[in-house]
PDB file of all heavy atoms in Angstrom:
ATOM      1  N   HIS R  74       0.497 -28.725  -6.913  1.00  0.00           N
ATOM      2  CA  HIS R  74      -0.360 -27.557  -6.718  1.00  0.00           C
ATOM      3  C   HIS R  74      -1.592 -27.973  -5.922  1.00  0.00           C
ATOM      4  O   HIS R  74      -2.171 -29.032  -6.170  1.00  0.00           O
ATOM      5  CB  HIS R  74      -0.814 -26.995  -8.067  1.00  0.00           C
ATOM      6  CG  HIS R  74       0.325 -26.603  -8.948  1.00  0.00           C
ATOM      7  ND1 HIS R  74       0.877 -25.361  -8.923  1.00  0.00           N
ATOM      8  CD2 HIS R  74       1.030 -27.303  -9.868  1.00  0.00           C
ATOM      9  CE1 HIS R  74       1.856 -25.294  -9.792  1.00  0.00           C
ATOM     10  NE2 HIS R  74       1.985 -26.464 -10.379  1.00  0.00           N
ATOM     11  N   PHE R  75      -1.987 -27.155  -4.954  1.00  0.00           N
ATOM     12  CA  PHE R  75      -3.160 -27.463  -4.154  1.00  0.00           C
ATOM     13  C   PHE R  75      -3.763 -26.178  -3.603  1.00  0.00           C
ATOM     14  O   PHE R  75      -3.168 -25.107  -3.675  1.00  0.00           O
ATOM     15  CB  PHE R  75      -2.813 -28.412  -3.001  1.00  0.00           C
ATOM     16  CG  PHE R  75      -1.862 -27.820  -1.988  1.00  0.00           C
ATOM     17  CD1 PHE R  75      -2.352 -27.283  -0.805  1.00  0.00           C
ATOM     18  CD2 PHE R  75      -0.497 -27.793  -2.217  1.00  0.00           C
ATOM     19  CE1 PHE R  75      -1.479 -26.728   0.136  1.00  0.00           C
ATOM     20  CE2 PHE R  75       0.374 -27.244  -1.293  1.00  0.00           C
ATOM     21  CZ  PHE R  75      -0.120 -26.713  -0.113  1.00  0.00           C
ATOM     22  N   GLU R  76      -4.950 -26.303  -3.066  1.00  0.00           N
ATOM     23  CA  GLU R  76      -5.623 -25.179  -2.434  1.00  0.00           C
ATOM     24  C   GLU R  76      -5.648 -25.432  -0.937  1.00  0.00           C
ATOM     25  O   GLU R  76      -6.098 -26.480  -0.485  1.00  0.00           O
ATOM     26  CB  GLU R  76      -7.049 -25.079  -2.979  1.00  0.00           C
ATOM     27  CG  GLU R  76      -7.757 -23.808  -2.615  1.00  0.00           C
ATOM     28  CD  GLU R  76      -9.092 -23.686  -3.314  1.00  0.00           C
ATOM     29  OE1 GLU R  76      -9.105 -23.485  -4.537  1.00  0.00           O
ATOM     30  OE2 GLU R  76     -10.122 -23.817  -2.617  1.00  0.00           O
ATOM     31  N   ASN R  77      -5.167 -24.468  -0.150  1.00  0.00           N
ATOM     32  CA  ASN R  77      -5.138 -24.665   1.304  1.00  0.00           C
ATOM     33  C   ASN R  77      -6.518 -24.419   1.918  1.00  0.00           C
ATOM     34  O   ASN R  77      -7.472 -24.074   1.213  1.00  0.00           O
ATOM     35  CB  ASN R  77      -4.047 -23.817   1.960  1.00  0.00           C
ATOM     36  CG  ASN R  77      -4.328 -22.327   1.922  1.00  0.00           C
ATOM     37  OD1 ASN R  77      -5.400 -21.871   1.525  1.00  0.00           O
ATOM     38  ND2 ASN R  77      -3.344 -21.541   2.330  1.00  0.00           N
ATOM     39  N   HIS R  78      -6.605 -24.575   3.223  1.00  0.00           N
ATOM     40  CA  HIS R  78      -7.897 -24.460   3.905  1.00  0.00           C
ATOM     41  C   HIS R  78      -8.480 -23.048   3.842  1.00  0.00           C
ATOM     42  O   HIS R  78      -9.661 -22.857   4.063  1.00  0.00           O
ATOM     43  CB  HIS R  78      -7.768 -24.931   5.364  1.00  0.00           C
ATOM     44  CG  HIS R  78      -6.881 -24.062   6.204  1.00  0.00           C
ATOM     45  ND1 HIS R  78      -5.513 -24.161   6.151  1.00  0.00           N
ATOM     46  CD2 HIS R  78      -7.165 -23.079   7.075  1.00  0.00           C
ATOM     47  CE1 HIS R  78      -4.985 -23.263   6.975  1.00  0.00           C
ATOM     48  NE2 HIS R  78      -5.964 -22.596   7.546  1.00  0.00           N
ATOM     49  N   GLU R  79      -7.657 -22.073   3.503  1.00  0.00           N
ATOM     50  CA  GLU R  79      -8.132 -20.697   3.366  1.00  0.00           C
ATOM     51  C   GLU R  79      -8.547 -20.368   1.931  1.00  0.00           C
ATOM     52  O   GLU R  79      -8.967 -19.254   1.641  1.00  0.00           O
ATOM     53  CB  GLU R  79      -7.046 -19.723   3.825  1.00  0.00           C
ATOM     54  CG  GLU R  79      -6.712 -19.862   5.294  1.00  0.00           C
ATOM     55  CD  GLU R  79      -5.504 -19.045   5.692  1.00  0.00           C
ATOM     56  OE1 GLU R  79      -4.733 -18.622   4.796  1.00  0.00           O
ATOM     57  OE2 GLU R  79      -5.325 -18.837   6.897  1.00  0.00           O
ATOM     58  N   GLY R  80      -8.411 -21.355   1.039  1.00  0.00           N
ATOM     59  CA  GLY R  80      -8.784 -21.151  -0.352  1.00  0.00           C
ATOM     60  C   GLY R  80      -7.696 -20.569  -1.228  1.00  0.00           C
ATOM     61  O   GLY R  80      -7.944 -20.222  -2.380  1.00  0.00           O
ATOM     62  N   ASN R  81      -6.486 -20.460  -0.706  1.00  0.00           N
ATOM     63  CA  ASN R  81      -5.357 -19.928  -1.473  1.00  0.00           C
ATOM     64  C   ASN R  81      -4.656 -21.051  -2.230  1.00  0.00           C
ATOM     65  O   ASN R  81      -4.432 -22.127  -1.681  1.00  0.00           O
ATOM     66  CB  ASN R  81      -4.348 -19.241  -0.549  1.00  0.00           C
ATOM     67  CG  ASN R  81      -4.953 -18.083   0.201  1.00  0.00           C
ATOM     68  OD1 ASN R  81      -5.741 -17.330  -0.350  1.00  0.00           O
ATOM     69  ND2 ASN R  81      -4.584 -17.942   1.455  1.00  0.00           N
ATOM     70  N   GLU R  82      -4.300 -20.773  -3.484  1.00  0.00           N
ATOM     71  CA  GLU R  82      -3.555 -21.756  -4.255  1.00  0.00           C
ATOM     72  C   GLU R  82      -2.099 -21.755  -3.817  1.00  0.00           C
ATOM     73  O   GLU R  82      -1.488 -20.704  -3.657  1.00  0.00           O
ATOM     74  CB  GLU R  82      -3.661 -21.454  -5.742  1.00  0.00           C
ATOM     75  CG  GLU R  82      -5.045 -21.733  -6.282  1.00  0.00           C
ATOM     76  CD  GLU R  82      -5.095 -21.678  -7.800  1.00  0.00           C
ATOM     77  OE1 GLU R  82      -4.029 -21.800  -8.450  1.00  0.00           O
ATOM     78  OE2 GLU R  82      -6.194 -21.526  -8.318  1.00  0.00           O
ATOM     79  N   LYS R  83      -1.569 -22.943  -3.607  1.00  0.00           N
ATOM     80  CA  LYS R  83      -0.187 -23.121  -3.158  1.00  0.00           C
ATOM     81  C   LYS R  83       0.519 -24.115  -4.076  1.00  0.00           C
ATOM     82  O   LYS R  83      -0.119 -24.956  -4.705  1.00  0.00           O
ATOM     83  CB  LYS R  83      -0.137 -23.660  -1.721  1.00  0.00           C
ATOM     84  CG  LYS R  83      -0.771 -22.764  -0.688  1.00  0.00           C
ATOM     85  CD  LYS R  83       0.117 -21.600  -0.420  1.00  0.00           C
ATOM     86  CE  LYS R  83      -0.468 -20.745   0.693  1.00  0.00           C
ATOM     87  NZ  LYS R  83       0.421 -19.678   1.086  1.00  0.00           N
TER      88      LYS R  83
END
Side-chain angles (χ1 to χ4, degrees):
H74 302 271
F75 64 99
E76 191 173 290
N77 69 7
H78 66 281
E79 296 172 343
N81 300 321
E82 289 190 20
K83 299 285 184 174

